[in-house]
Amino acid sequence: MKNNFNDIRNLLFDLDGTLIDSSETIGASIRFALGRVGESADSGPPVETLIGMSLLDIFLNCFGMGKERAEVAISQYREHFERQAQKGTRIYPDIRAVLSRLQEAEYRLFIATVKPTAIAESVLGDLQLISYFDGVAGSSMTHERRHKTDIIAHALRKHELDPRRSMMVGDRAQDIHGARDNGLLSVGVTYGFGARKELDAAGPDHMVDEALELLELLDAG
């Protein structure tokens, strides 16, 4: 399997659940937003299972809101998220070392996330991770681009990346499906928010249990 990765030079990383554990920050922001629009977090799925979905889909589909009320909840979420300034968010073990080593091995590193681009850039800046990346591709603030397939396609166009030399790394099925839809290899990480059963069903080209295994996979150790 390792030989399949020999031609890869561009690495697209999901953010939440792949590089950072943001469950506390995101969970607090979702609960705050729900409270501000008179909704209980108990009226939908466990908040932690929603990480990786777009906010619009969370409030529309998981809490049954109409579009107008969902937009209010999104606004409240973003204000509270910004105020927290990454309080409660932590970088997963060995991520800095892995990103640094991949840079040294001359891989080009990018972010492909359901977070809007500007918000993702702010998060990376707050956590002092932004310097590792050649570019950030996120969702659009107005929701037209919010599914992972479209976000990865946007990343490829924006940064002029050859999908045959690019690989997606993420923790949820949408990362794997989005990569496949765009002709990329994919690696699922089992330490994030997605369950192993979810990743198994999605069928990534490889799975890793620890971030350091990426270096072995890419001969970058």
Side-chain angles (χ1 to χ4, degrees):
M1 180 174 292
K2 193 169 182 178
N3 291 337
N4 294 337
F5 295 87
N6 288 346
D7 293 333
I8 298 300
R9 298 315 307 166
N10 311 308
L11 303 175
L12 283 66
F13 287 89
D14 175 50
L15 182 55
D16 302 295
T18 300
L19 300 180
I20 62 175
D21 180 352
S22 50
S23 55
E24 184 176 330
T25 313
I26 291 175
S29 298
I30 291 176
R31 293 184 182 94
F32 176 85
L34 290 170
R36 292 304 293 265
V37 297
E39 190 73 55
S40 169
D42 295 334
S43 65
V47 168
E48 290 72 18
T49 68
L50 306 177
I51 299 174
M53 294 177 61
S54 75
L55 292 175
L56 183 62
D57 292 323
I58 287 173
F59 294 125
L60 284 181
N61 301 330
C62 300
F63 291 95
M65 296 182 190
K67 181 73 159 50
E68 185 175 345
R69 191 158 167 249
E71 291 288 4
V72 173
I74 289 169
S75 177
Q76 293 295 322
Y77 171 97
R78 287 175 175 162
E79 289 180 15
H80 189 70
F81 184 88
E82 184 176 359
R83 284 195 297 270
Q84 290 187 93
Q86 313 323 312
K87 179 182 178 181
T89 293
R90 66 181 181 89
I91 302 170
Y92 282 117
D94 302 313
I95 288 296
R96 289 189 191 278
V98 168
L99 296 177
S100 178
R101 186 66 194 92
L102 290 171
Q103 266 192 335
E104 291 171 5
E106 299 184 344
Y107 285 93
R108 298 182 70 204
L109 310 182
F110 300 89
I111 292 290
T113 175
V114 296
K115 274 185 166 56
T117 302
I119 295 175
E121 289 173 340
S122 178
V123 170
L124 291 164
D126 288 343
L127 297 173
Q128 299 182 337
L129 291 175
I130 192 70
S131 63
Y132 293 109
F133 294 95
D134 293 274
V136 177
S139 63
S140 55
M141 292 289 284
T142 51
H143 314 305
E144 289 87 356
R145 184 181 66 248
R146 69 181 189 272
H147 299 301
K148 210 52 178 279
T149 292
D150 297 329
I151 291 167
I152 294 172
H154 171 64
L156 296 175
R157 291 192 302 268
K158 178 180 179 181
H159 302 295
E160 299 182 339
L161 305 179
D162 182 348
R164 296 168 299 181
R165 306 202 72 191
S166 305
M167 182 179 85
M168 181 71 206
V169 182
D171 69 307
R172 301 300 301 264
Q174 64 183 7
D175 299 309
I176 309 309
H177 296 314
R180 186 176 300 118
D181 290 343
N182 284 284
L184 280 67
L185 290 176
S186 63
V187 172
V189 302
T190 64
Y191 55 78
F193 302 133
R196 179 180 282 273
K197 182 178 180 180
E198 174 185 338
L199 288 171
D200 281 336
D205 296 289
H206 194 78
M207 282 201 288
V208 298
D209 297 321
E210 299 177 356
L212 286 172
E213 293 177 43
L214 288 169
L215 299 181
E216 181 181 356
L217 179 67
L218 295 165
D219 287 324

